[in-house]
Amino acid sequence: QHYFIQSNLSKFMTKRKWILMDSQIEVPDESESVNSIERSHNFDYDLAVLGGGSGGLACAKEASKLGAKVVVFDFVDPSPPKTTWGVGGTCLNVGCIPKKLMHTASIYGEVVKEEAQQYGWSIGERSHDWHSMVEKIQNHIKSQNFKIRIDLREKNVKYLNERA
């Protein structure tokens, strides 16, 4: 499927007018409906965002809020073991968030060992189930992917898990 999109965004927003190459999109006054934007181009979308990370998603949602017809292209090549991930970028899927959740899990183990006894807890043998932790973290990330997809739909942003 092919989409026609205005490219070479020269300026994202100048006062209350978006300037896209030779075309202009008039942004309505606050008193007008956001859906009343006059488009002087024949493209499928006013703005195409490449990448579904935090920056791309913020840009897409804000542009949509201002009345632009927006599409987000977000595709990541599978890793050698065929690992793929959802919307949200590297941070959510394989970076910051899983790392912080794993770090938090390790802190819980230390707190139980070191701190809880000081408050009267009698702690027996500790054990850790790596597979259970990984499964819970992956489920959390999938739930965040799902919430992001719903949020994009509610804000009238088209999400495509494909190359632009």
Side-chain angles (χ1 to χ4, degrees), residues 5-73:
I5 300 159
Q6 183 71 20
S7 60
N8 295 328
L9 188 64
S10 61
K11 289 186 179 179
F12 181 66
M13 192 169 164
T14 306
K15 296 190 180 181
R16 301 229 6 112
K17 184 182 287 185
W18 293 351
I19 301 174
L20 301 158
M21 286 178 59
D22 297 328
S23 300
Q24 295 184 354
I25 301 170
E26 295 291 332
V27 178
D29 293 329
E30 284 78 9
S31 62
E32 296 180 60
S33 167
V34 172
N35 295 325
S36 67
I37 288 179
E38 296 290 327
R39 288 180 173 79
S40 60
H41 62 77
N42 294 319
F43 298 101
D44 292 346
Y45 295 96
D46 300 317
L47 177 65
V49 177
L50 304 182
S54 58
L57 295 175
C59 174
K61 290 187 273 188
E62 188 65 21
S64 179
K65 184 170 85 174
L66 294 170
K69 188 172 180 187
V70 181
V71 61
V72 173
F73 289 96

